[in-house]
Amino acid sequence: FLMDPDGSHQVQLTHGTWRSVQPHVSPDGGSVLFTALWPEFPKVGLFKLDLGTLAVGILAHWPADDGAGESDARWVGDGSSIVFSKNGGEGRDTVPTQVYEMDLGGGRRRRLTHDSFYNTDPAISADGSRLAVSSYRGPGTPHLDGAAGEFAVKLQDWFLVVIDPATRTERVLTQGLACTKRVSPAPPCSPSEGPAWVPLWSPDAQTVGYLSVRSSTTMGIYAVAPDGGVARTLLEVTDLALTRWAWVDS
C-alpha cells in the first residue's frame, strides 16, 4: 500500500494471495522496490513497481529452480542502483547470505561482501564508501530451531558491522548478546551489547542507527558512530515490537 504520512489516501499497489514486503520508494518518487514470494520466486525475489502505471518488473536473477533467494533491497544514492542480500551465492559459489549491488536493469552485479556469514539488511553510506549490515555470526544458521515459520530467527549473535567494500576491511560495532534472556532484576544489556538489525545511515552519514533488544521486555532504536564508540538510545519501548524504521531528513 501507499499512503500519506498521516495514514490517509491509502492505495493498494499489489494484489494477490502471496507475500509482498519490504517496500522502499525510489529517491525520485517514481517507483517502489519490494520483496515478494510470488509464484515465479517461491524462495523470495526482487521486484520494482512503477507508481505511474502500476506495472511490475522483475529484478531478481534465477540461480536455482526454486527462485532467486534475494531480499532486503535498498536504493543507492540517486537511485541508479540497489543493494540487496542474496542467499546461496552465484553458480557453484554456494555461501551463506551475501550482499550485492546491481543496476536497475538487473545487470552489472557485483558482490560487496566476501565471508562465511549471513549478511542482511544492507545499507550504503551517502558517499558509497561504507556498507552497514546486520550479520549473523553464531552457530549453525540464523533460523530458530523448531520454529513453525521459515522467517523466525534467533535473537542473538546478530552483529552490526560496517564494511569498506573496496578494501574488504570491517568494524564490528555491537556484541550480539542474548539480551532477551535478561529478566528483572537482572540489569538489561547496554545498547552496544545487544543484537542488531536493520542498520540505516543518518542523513549526514555520521551515525548508524539500528534495532536491538536490551532485555525480555525492552527494545528500541539505537545509534553509534561508524568508527565505534558508545551507542546511544534514540527510542525505546516496552510494549511494542519494532521491525522497520527510517530516518527523516528534515
Side-chain angles (χ1 to χ4, degrees), residues 9-165:
H9 301 105
Q10 295 184 14
V11 178
Q12 186 170 346
L13 299 179
T14 59
H15 301 264
T17 59
W18 41 81
R19 184 192 300 261
S20 297
V21 296
Q22 298 180 332
H24 295 288
V25 178
S26 62
D28 65 4
S31 58
V32 178
L33 283 177
F34 67 98
T35 300
L37 280 77
W38 285 13
E40 295 89 344
F41 289 98
K43 293 295 184 182
V44 186
L46 299 179
F47 298 82
K48 181 169 73 74
L49 182 147
D50 186 298
L51 287 173
T53 64
L54 298 187
V56 174
I58 298 174
L59 298 179
H61 172 63
W62 266 278
D65 292 338
D66 58 359
E70 299 173 355
S71 61
D72 300 341
R74 288 194 178 278
W75 299 98
V76 175
D78 61 1
S80 60
S81 66
I82 64 172
V83 288
F84 62 97
S85 295
K86 177 177 177 55
N87 187 29
E90 294 282 355
R92 296 181 180 179
D93 184 17
T94 301
V95 294
T97 308
Q98 299 293 291
V99 175
Y100 292 77
E101 183 178 6
M102 70 176 176
D103 64 31
L104 291 186
R108 293 203 298 272
R109 290 169 170 242
R110 69 183 183 108
R111 185 167 156 183
L112 301 182
T113 59
H114 302 264
D115 55 40
S116 59
F117 304 118
Y118 294 82
N119 301 311
T120 65
D121 293 326
I124 287 188
S125 60
D127 63 3
S129 66
R130 291 177 293 185
L131 170 71
V133 298
S134 172
S135 183
Y136 178 77
R137 301 187 170 194
T141 74
H143 299 293
L144 189 62
D145 298 334
E150 62 179 302
F151 295 102
V153 299
K154 298 170 184 174
L155 298 180
Q156 70 278 344
D157 296 319
W158 290 91
F159 298 83
L160 172 60
V161 182
V162 171
I163 300 165
D164 182 334

Side-chain angles (χ1 to χ4, degrees), residues 189-209:
C189 293
S190 72
S192 297
E193 290 178 323
W197 303 283
V198 197
L200 291 173
W201 293 89
S202 61
D204 62 5
Q206 299 302 304
T207 302
V208 181

